[in-house]
Structures are given as C-alpha cells and as structure tokens.
Amino acid sequence: MKNELLLALCLAGLGRPTLAQLDPERLNFGLTAGVGLTNLVFKQDGKKATDETFSPGLGLRLGGFARYQFNETWAVQPGFELTTVRSTASDGFAKTRTSVVSVAVPLPVAYTLPVGERAVVFNAGPLFRLNLVGNVKSDAFSQQLEFSGANADYRRLAPGLQLGVAYRIPVPRLIGSRASAHDDREVEYIIMGIDGTVIETVYKSKSTYTYKEDLWSIVVRLFWNFATDRRDNRGSKM
C-alpha cells in the first residue's frame, strides 16, 4: 500500500508541469448518450450452466469526456460515464434477469482521419468499470449482488478494453455564436457524431466469483463535442 501511494505521488508530481504546458485551445469537452447490447454470464461451481441459455440485455450509457488534440491526427479522450449492464438467463421454464449499474472511466487514444469537413475517428484504450449496485431477479426471488467481502458475486473494479469508431459532423452553433450572415469564417461550430461501434470487454482472470469474467457491451452512442478551437470544430486540420 505504501509503494502504491508513493507511486501515485510521483506521477502527480510529474504530471503537474505537463498539465501547465497544455494548450487550452486544443482542449475540448463533450457529452455522450447511448444504448446497446450488454452481457454478464452466471456460472455455477466455476462453470457456465449447460442447461441454461443466455441472452444479452439492453444497456444504457450516459456521461461526458474531455478531448485533448495533440496534432491534426492524434488525441487523448478520457471520459466518465454512468452505465448499465443487463442480461437474461433461461432454463426453458423460468427466466433470471441480472442488472448492474456502474461508473465507467475510459482512457482511449484517438486517431482522426479527415474526410472534407467531416472526420472518421478510431479510438482504443483501457477502460475501468467500478460496479456500484447490482440485482438478480426472477419470478421466485430477488436479491442484491455483492461486490466485496468473502462472498462477493463479482469484482468491484473490473478493468477492460474499449475499441470504437466514430463519425464526426460539424454543426453550426446557433446560441452564442459570433456568426454573421455574410462571413462564414466567423461561424462557430460544435461537433456531433455517432460512435458506430463501441466494443467493451473486461480483463479475464481466474477467480471464484459467481459471475463469469466475460462482461461485454456493444454500444451505439451520440456525442456532442463543444470544442474551443473553431478550426477543429469545422473538421479542418489544425
């Protein structure tokens, strides 16, 4: 524990001058909202039940992000999102539904491919999921999932990987814009787009947890990027 604290303090000390050198014109903020398929499989005695079928559920994702553009191509885009994971198990007679509410912190690196005034953005990086509450429910019972202690059903902190591709579209900012009818150069833009494929999976490890270590989600999200650099807003090169 002492070593981990010393490492955190060292990283914080090294990061302080770096943060001071960041160019605020390259820093953007945005919001995301999405829906997709998610899955979390139950297991018994360390194995997936053979007499049950599992189907993914409908999960939600809502949050925000900060994007720092190093150059016209590369950026880093940490985020903070509230997520839900749902799945259903059926043995032919009854159904059991599992749901988990979590906070997800993605830390992806983004690669931008300009397409005129628009752009395709590929991103990949680690994601850390902090499970807050969970529930297992059927017609016969309902119980809360435990994420800590000797009888934990699943991990409290689930590290993983997120991959995605987004399509950015510049949209004129109608409120607070300095635009005039005759000078298009002064139009301020925001970036709207769709994360067409956001795939997430957790790091798998051998464990005695009740729920199998193969949580995953495939999400389609809308995002709004409120950029500070007008050139970036319009999708042009920096």
Side-chain angles (χ1 to χ4, degrees):
M1 182 67 181
K2 183 183 295 184
N3 293 335
E4 293 176 354
L5 180 59
L6 289 174
L7 178 59
L9 291 175
C10 290
L11 290 176
L14 291 174
R16 185 171 301 174
T18 303
L19 290 175
Q21 297 172 2
L22 295 179
D23 183 356
E25 288 298 314
R26 296 175 180 265
L27 182 62
N28 308 321
F29 299 92
L31 302 174
T32 59
V35 62
L37 297 178
T38 64
N39 197 47
L40 183 61
V41 178
F42 182 82
K43 66 178 183 179
Q44 295 176 333
D45 299 325
K47 297 181 180 179
K48 179 179 175 181
T50 58
D51 59 343
E52 289 185 324
T53 58
F54 295 87
S55 58
L58 192 65
L60 303 177
R61 214 158 167 160
L62 179 66
F65 62 86
R67 177 186 177 91
Y68 188 81
Q69 195 79 31
F70 293 106
N71 51 46
E72 64 185 36
T73 302
W74 293 101
V76 62
Q77 187 173 301
F80 186 88
E81 299 176 319
L82 184 66
T83 72
T84 60
V85 175
R86 292 187 174 92
S87 61
T88 302
S90 175
D91 60 3
F93 300 97
K95 292 183 178 181
T96 302
R97 298 175 178 83
T98 302
S99 62
V100 177
V101 178
S102 312
V103 169
V105 181
L107 302 170
V109 174
Y111 176 84
T112 302
L113 180 63
V115 182
E117 290 191 348
R118 304 182 181 186
V120 178
V121 182
F122 302 92
N123 63 82
L127 178 142
F128 299 91
R129 177 182 291 274
L130 180 65
N131 296 312
L132 302 178
V133 294
N135 181 266
V136 181
K137 182 183 296 185
S138 71
D139 295 335
F141 72 94
S142 176
Q143 68 179 49
Q144 296 294 316
L145 291 177
E146 296 292 336
F147 298 109
S148 59
N151 299 319
D153 298 300
Y154 191 59
R155 293 184 287 183
R156 174 72 72 181
L157 178 64
L161 176 67
Q162 177 177 291
L163 304 173
V165 57
Y167 186 59
R168 300 196 313 175
I169 306 171
V171 178
R173 180 182 295 170
L174 300 180
I175 300 177
S177 174
R178 296 191 298 270
S180 66
H182 305 289
D183 191 355
D184 182 65
R185 293 175 301 174
E186 292 298 322
V187 176
E188 290 186 354
Y189 284 76
I190 63 173
I191 295 294
M192 281 190 65
I194 297 176
D195 277 342
T197 308
V198 174
I199 302 175
E200 174 198 344
T201 182
V202 302
Y203 170 74
K204 297 181 181 180
S205 62
K206 295 181 179 179
S207 68
T208 58
Y209 292 120
T210 304
Y211 281 83
K212 195 175 179 182
E213 301 282 80
D214 63 353
L215 181 152
W216 57 262
S217 62
I218 301 176
V219 183
V220 176
R221 301 186 301 181
L222 292 175
F223 65 89
W224 295 264
N225 187 1
F226 305 98
T228 57
D229 187 334
R230 290 199 301 274
R231 291 178 299 169
D232 182 63
N233 287 341
R234 302 194 59 177
S236 303
K237 296 183 179 181
M238 298 182 61

